[in-house]
């Protein structure tokens, strides 16, 4: 696997975890309004989905990175994703459903190889 994804964390580590997966062409900062509103009650995990050593990772590579991050949590994690982030969330969940508490997805696509 390549270099781990840059991960930004907000809120108390003992709070329920939520992972925010941004759309393509964006970074974790697209989630700043939600981060500001929720950081007092949740442990927010906001990776940047573009690894520094691989500017065009596959969905499978990204899902593997996300699964690694989910394995580091003390409990199943909610995934919130938009577009690219939604597709990564779906694939990660299909590969490791026991690590995911639930999904909130916008503009996910199902199908393909």
């Amino acid at each position: 696997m390549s270099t781990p994804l840059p991960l930004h964390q907000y809120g108390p580590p003992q709070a329920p975890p939520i992972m925010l997966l941004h759309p393509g062409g964006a970074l974790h900062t697209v989630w700043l309004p939600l981060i500001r509103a929720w950081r007092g009650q949740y442990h927010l995990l906001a990776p940047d989905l573009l690894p520094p050593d691989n500017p065009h990772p596959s969905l499978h590579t990204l899902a593997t990175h996300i699964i690694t991050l989910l394995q580091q949590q003390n409990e199943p994690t909610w995934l919130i994703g938009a577009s690219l982030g939604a597709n990564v969330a779906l694939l990660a969940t299909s590969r490791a459903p026991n690590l995911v508490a639930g999904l909130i997805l916008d503009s996910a696509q199902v199908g393909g190889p």
Side-chain angles (χ1 to χ4, degrees):
M1 187 171 11
S2 58
T3 304
L5 297 175
L7 178 64
H8 309 274
Q9 299 184 56
Y10 306 88
Q14 69 277 10
I18 296 175
M19 185 174 290
L20 304 168
L21 301 171
H22 63 77
L27 294 172
H28 80 281
T29 53
V30 72
W31 298 111
L32 285 177
L34 285 179
I35 289 168
R36 287 184 191 111
W38 293 353
R39 68 179 169 213
Q41 61 194 107
Y42 298 104
H43 182 209
L44 301 168
L45 307 158
D48 286 326
L49 296 177
L50 299 175
D53 63 342
N54 184 1
H56 303 290
S58 70
L59 286 178
H60 288 281
T61 297
L62 292 172
T64 299
H65 282 293
I66 295 307
I67 290 167
T68 299
L69 293 173
L70 293 172
Q71 290 170 334
Q72 297 169 7
Q73 301 311 303
N74 294 327
E75 61 186 276
T77 301
W78 276 86
L79 300 180
I80 299 176
S83 191
L84 170 65
N87 294 333
V88 172
L90 277 174
L91 185 55
T93 301
S94 72
R95 289 173 46 192
N98 59 314
L99 299 176
V100 178
L103 295 167
I104 300 173
L105 306 174
D106 176 41
S107 302
Q109 300 175 2
V110 178

